[in-house]
């Protein structure tokens, strides 16, 4: 299956509007002075792609497990190298969930996404270490936190 993007570039700055073959837009812009900082930068867009990919996996698996998340958000942060090309040196993905969700069901859903299903994670893991964790507040108000997996060039390590 081939995926394609066509991008229009503002030659006076750094703004790029990319469109999928179906016409869905993604707008990016550089930080001043190269760009105007009016949209996500390319690296931020990469982190957003990771968040979107793993979120769809985890939400789908939780539904199949009949787990009911009232709130689900993902925080993705990346550390970059100091020198150009300033690649990511590490990434942390934290799934934040509230609702009628069992900790083991959430842990396993994240593990499956990180180790088997998310192609964005698989591509990034070839060159950068990615830590996958969660914070869960159950319907009863009990809080759980755990490291689920670490993926990267050295392979996969599952949390405790």
């Amino acid at each position: 299956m081939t995926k394609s993007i066509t991008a229009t570039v503002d030659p006076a700055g750094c703004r790029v509007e990319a469109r999928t073959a179906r016409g869905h837009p993604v707008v990016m812009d550089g930080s001043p002075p190269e760009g105007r900082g009016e949209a996500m930068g390319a690296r931020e867009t990469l982190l957003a792609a990771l968040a979107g990919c793993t979120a769809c996996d985890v939400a789908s698996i939780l539904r199949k497990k009949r787990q009911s998340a009232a709130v689900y958000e993902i925080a993705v942060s990346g550390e970059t190298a100091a020198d150009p090309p300033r690649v990511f040196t590490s990434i942390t993905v934290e799934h934040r969930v509230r609702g009628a969700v069992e900790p083991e069901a959430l842990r396993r859903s994240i593990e499956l996404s990180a180790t088997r299903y998310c192609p964005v994670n698989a591509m990034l893991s070839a060159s950068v270490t990615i830590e996958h964790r969660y914070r869960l507040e159950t319907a009863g108000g009990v809080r759980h936190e755990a490291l689920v997996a670490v993926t990267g060039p050295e392979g996969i390590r599952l949390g405790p």
Side-chain angles (χ1 to χ4, degrees):
M1 173 185 275
T2 300
K3 299 285 185 182
S4 66
I5 298 286
T6 302
T8 303
V9 181
D10 175 1
C14 197
R15 185 177 175 88
V16 175
E17 183 173 321
R19 289 198 175 269
T20 67
R22 292 179 285 162
H24 301 294
V26 173
V27 178
M28 295 173 277
D29 196 1
S31 297
E34 293 83 19
R36 296 164 112 174
E38 295 176 346
M40 283 195 278
R43 284 179 293 180
E44 292 166 316
T45 305
L46 188 62
L47 295 178
L50 176 58
C53 186
T54 190
C56 287
D57 290 342
V58 171
S60 175
I61 296 166
L62 286 174
R63 281 192 305 274
K64 289 174 185 168
K65 292 176 173 286
R66 301 191 192 311
Q67 302 294 300
S68 182
V71 176
Y72 179 19
E73 69 178 25
I74 295 182
V76 180
S77 60
E79 294 293 322
T80 57
D83 297 323
R86 293 184 180 88
V87 298
F88 286 115
T89 55
S90 66
I91 297 173
T92 300
V93 179
E94 183 178 76
H95 301 258
R96 299 172 180 169
V97 178
R98 283 197 319 255
V101 176
E102 297 170 13
E104 177 55 23
L106 179 57
R107 186 205 65 75
R108 181 66 175 147
S109 299
I110 294 167
E111 178 186 317
L112 286 169
S113 176
T115 63
R116 187 175 298 166
Y117 295 124
C118 179
V120 176
N121 185 78
M123 286 184 282
L124 289 173
S125 290
S127 61
V128 64
T129 299
I130 305 174
E131 187 176 274
H132 305 267
R133 53 180 52 255
Y134 72 82
R135 284 195 298 164
L136 169 65
E137 184 176 332
T138 64
V142 178
R143 295 177 187 232
H144 303 267
E145 294 185 24
L147 172 65
V148 175
V150 177
T151 60
E154 291 82 35
I156 297 169
R157 185 180 87 241
L158 299 179

